[in-house]
Amino acid sequence: METIKKLVLDTVPGALIEEKQKLTITVDPQKLHLLASTLRTNSELPFDFLVQLTGVDRGDELGVNYLLCNSGDLSKEIVLKTGTSDRDNPLLYSVADLYETAHFNEREVYALLGIRFINNPDMRKFLLNVGWVGYPLRKDYNPDPHLNPVSLESHDIIDKAPRIRELEDGSLVEEVGNVFEDDDYIINIGPQHPSTHGVMHFRTSLDGEVVKKIDVHSGYIHRGIEKLSESMMYPQMLHLTDRLDYLSANINRHGLCMCIENAAGIEVPLRAQYIRTIMDELNRISSHLLAWATHTNDLGAVTAFIYGMREREILLDIFEKTCGGRLIINQNVVGGVMFDLYPGFRQDVTAFIVYMRKQLKEYNRFFSHNVIALGRMINVGLLKKEDAVSHGVTGPSGRGSGWSCDIRKHMPYALYDQVEFDEVIRYECDSYARYRNRLDEIEQSLHIIEQLIDSIPGGEICAKTKAVIRLPEGEFFSRVEAARGEFGVFIESRGDKFPYRVKFRSPSLSLVSAIPLICKNEKISDFIGIGGSMDYVIPDIDR
Amino acid sequence: MEIKDVKIKNIPYEEFNDNETLEKYLQELQANGVNVVLGKLDEIINWGRSNSLWPLIFATSCCGIEFMSAAAAHHDIARFGMEVTRNSPRQADLMIVAGTIVHKMAPLLRRVYDQMAEPKYVLAMGACTISGGPFVNSYHVVQGIDKIMPVDVFVPGCPPRPESLFYGLMQLQRKVKVEQFLGNQERKR
Ligand code: SF4
């Protein structure tokens, strides 16, 4: 990393370099784009993966934090920070031309903090309605419900995108661009549509039955979780993570607990680590089963849906016996887990492993080689590796594009460095690769559980923690591998019992941001199938 | 961890077992001098309607997944004649709202409700639809869908188990059974 520091200082002499939990670099807004593009393209260690883009109201300034890492080695990370003290018309420079994933993230920062980004071609608010009064994540936001009453009036969607562009001579112009062309034929898919896997709104322009362009509208399930977390104590906000990506509830919560534990220096007992790892993998299997079930359902195989749900139900029973929850598991707490395993846990899980192996064979026999299924998945929805990196598409979908992006391998947490398993990677880049990846990952998860289940040590299940947990001042990150990709947590603490700012990196947001790209020039009828193969969860996107 | 004496607030356990009140109520209503022929016709119609309520699933988040569990083989909603989920509001009798409703969604929810043909029913599934649930303090969450439209049955839980959903659906069936279509009395709810 020394060469990187040198590179940073060579590019921007005035940059402030700090060694915190991650290497942190603070620069002027004017220099940020230059620095980011140098870091992205340097030959030594290219930082070509934008993991998180977080807007923060730092009090004296409105700023943005960028967590970058190298796509070949995810543990090489760097944090860039910048900010502006102009609260009335905050402007920063966009990095959307360097990282595709910044498009949606910057629009989100605009909606929630009011920062506009120069040179981003589309500066519409992302999650909130156009007319929303105030910027919720600012500390001086006025939450008075009379300002933003619940309105039952539908508004027409105006396909005009304002933007700010910098001219050659450095002056700024405000323009309005068209999202679609004038004679485009546009249909709305969603927000209330049974096959979009949630309440996403895709405005789709068609040429015959071929998709020309997709414009994504989000926020139909924006629940303000990040703002809510700011008024909760650390143990209280845990339950909100379960409701982000409810299909990998346990893994999300694990990520948040890890972040708090690392920051507060809490040691997790070994037994708890075992329980967490096993539960995470069971959770991953149940999520992949549901993904498989709904994907096959999208392709027209209703029976397969019933099969997937049938197997999943066994897992839900195990969850329920362990901690009382079926879908929302509520098992992890700061310092360990809440409930110990029940006496028959080992038998139940071992029996499930045997049963699931048998079922996997059956799945492959009756669906994976079906001619219709193959025709609808092979060479459909191609996502090249560069695009996957640029959009930040991780998880089984990213690995279907040949990108090794498994956090469990790159930055092992819990017990993942002590078990052996393969990272499933395919290079075909199509829906079929993503489909097969999920089934193979189920097998790998079974393999991981198998190695742990017989050797769970005795002892405590939860470290002793203080009733009120305070984190030291600073910025803390954690990254875990959820069922759909990398789930990230960022906590900025000011030494209080409440977090100052919390941000969750949603794997699904990246998946959806890639949808317009991979659906382009595909048939409209394949759009749903491609969505099923990406397997996104909308409340995770909207937070 | 030991489970210390759990107390369920507000809803006494016995009430979950009380399935007869509505049936008694129905008998009372019918004893109240309804024309025999029309009364019988009503009964037949309502018997048919209550056992083939076709739901429209307005699933926005977590609770929707529990609905999927309820619809799959293990819990099998088809036992109640409700497996025919309709995606078009025109063909649905019952709207199951499963999941948080936020400001941006509220007008759309109302519009779908308005598009349904009478007679129509609404079942609110989960804490979010009842009050906003875990997100009650959020700036963008509607605090209960009864602010937007009438609701027939509330099913508490976060998420409610499929069994509780069925319990709610059965309550709704009873409610449908006491309706009077042809009888000369005013429709009582
Ligand atoms: S009630 Fe709970 S489970 Fe249901 S949508 Fe709300 S948060 Fe999710």
Side-chain angles (χ1 to χ4, degrees), chain A residues 182-395:
Chain A
D182 282 342
D183 53 354
D184 270 355
Y185 179 73
I186 302 168
I187 59 167
N188 290 297
I189 305 178
Q192 160 59 15
H193 187 285
S195 292
T196 48
H197 292 216
V199 285
M200 207 51 158
H201 184 180
F202 298 96
R203 279 176 69 77
T204 312
S205 78
L206 296 179
D207 182 6
E209 58 167 344
V210 175
V211 175
K212 237 170 103 181
K213 179 165 184 182
I214 294 180
D215 182 32
V216 180
H217 287 252
S218 188
Y220 293 98
I221 181 76
H222 172 59
R223 309 191 271 203
I225 288 185
E226 290 173 2
K227 180 77 177 177
L228 275 180
S229 305
E230 287 174 12
S231 57
M232 288 183 171
M233 298 203 292
Y234 292 104
Q236 287 179 321
M237 66 191 243
L238 293 179
H239 71 277
L240 294 180
T241 42
D242 283 29
R243 285 152 181 90
L244 284 168
D245 173 359
Y246 36 78
L247 294 178
S248 25
N250 202 51
I251 312 180
N252 293 350
R253 193 152 158 153
H254 190 170
L256 179 57
C257 288
M258 244 167 58
C259 191
I260 299 172
E261 283 151 10
N262 290 345
I266 297 171
E267 188 85 36
V268 180
L270 190 62
R271 184 176 172 81
Q273 296 284 26
Y274 268 79
I275 299 177
R276 279 184 179 181
T277 316
I278 294 174
M279 290 294 273
D280 276 4
E281 290 312 311
L282 289 175
N283 202 189
R284 190 183 317 279
I285 298 173
S286 82
S287 166
H288 283 348
L289 278 175
L290 190 112
W292 181 80
T294 47
H295 185 200
T296 49
N297 194 18
D298 287 345
L299 297 178
V302 181
T303 324
F305 172 77
I306 300 282
Y307 279 39
M309 295 299 277
R310 182 184 66 190
E311 267 70 274
R312 183 170 169 268
E313 203 65 42
I314 301 176
L315 284 173
L316 296 189
D317 284 346
I318 294 180
F319 293 152
E320 191 184 350
K321 283 197 221 164
T322 317
C323 53
R326 281 160 51 87
L327 175 70
I328 308 280
I329 300 180
N330 284 332
Q331 165 80 325
N332 290 323
V333 287
V334 178
V337 292
M338 206 186 299
F339 303 106
D340 207 345
L341 300 177
Y342 64 96
F345 184 80
R346 210 188 118 252
Q347 285 83 340
D348 282 358
V349 173
T350 336
F352 174 76
I353 294 177
V354 177
Y355 174 70
M356 193 63 230
R357 290 231 160 93
K358 194 171 114 245
Q359 293 310 110
L360 274 180
K361 286 209 193 83
E362 187 174 89
Y363 290 179
N364 281 326
R365 205 177 66 234
F366 79 69
F367 197 81
S368 301
H369 307 293
N370 179 311
V371 190
I372 302 172
L374 292 183
R376 293 202 61 189
M377 289 194 283
I378 288 185
N379 276 330
V380 174
L382 292 176
L383 176 68
K384 291 203 290 293
K385 185 181 166 188
E386 308 86 81
D387 295 326
V389 174
S390 177
H391 281 96
V393 175
T394 49

Side-chain angles (χ1 to χ4, degrees), chain B residues 22-135:
Chain B
L22 273 166
E23 260 141 47
K24 274 199 210 117
Y25 178 54
L26 170 65
Q27 279 167 6
E28 245 170 62
L29 273 180
Q30 294 193 334
N32 232 352
V34 181
N35 181 321
V36 178
V37 182
L38 292 184
K40 275 283 167 264
L41 259 180
D42 252 354
E43 233 172 83
I44 293 172
I45 291 174
N46 287 337
W47 171 79
R49 283 196 320 131
S50 63
N51 288 311
S52 63
L53 284 169
W54 287 0
L56 170 131
I57 311 301
F58 202 95
T60 60
S61 50
C62 347
C63 281
I65 305 292
E66 277 301 74
F67 177 82
M68 279 161 68
S69 287
H74 193 82
H75 294 99
D76 195 11
I77 204 171
R79 293 178 292 155
F80 302 89
M82 296 182 196
E83 78 280 18
V84 200
T85 56
R86 292 286 105 178
N87 300 318
S88 153
R90 307 274 187 223
Q91 298 162 352
D93 308 307
L94 157 68
M95 179 153 148
I96 298 182
V97 185
T100 326
I101 298 300
V102 301
H103 282 230
K104 199 165 175 178
M105 196 52 145
L108 307 167
L109 176 65
R110 178 70 209 198
R111 184 186 286 196
V112 173
Y113 176 76
D114 287 342
Q115 284 171 345
M116 286 169 63
E118 289 275 2
K120 54 188 171 187
Y121 307 93
V122 176
L123 182 140
M125 179 180 181
C128 282
T129 51
I130 297 174
S131 65
F135 314 105

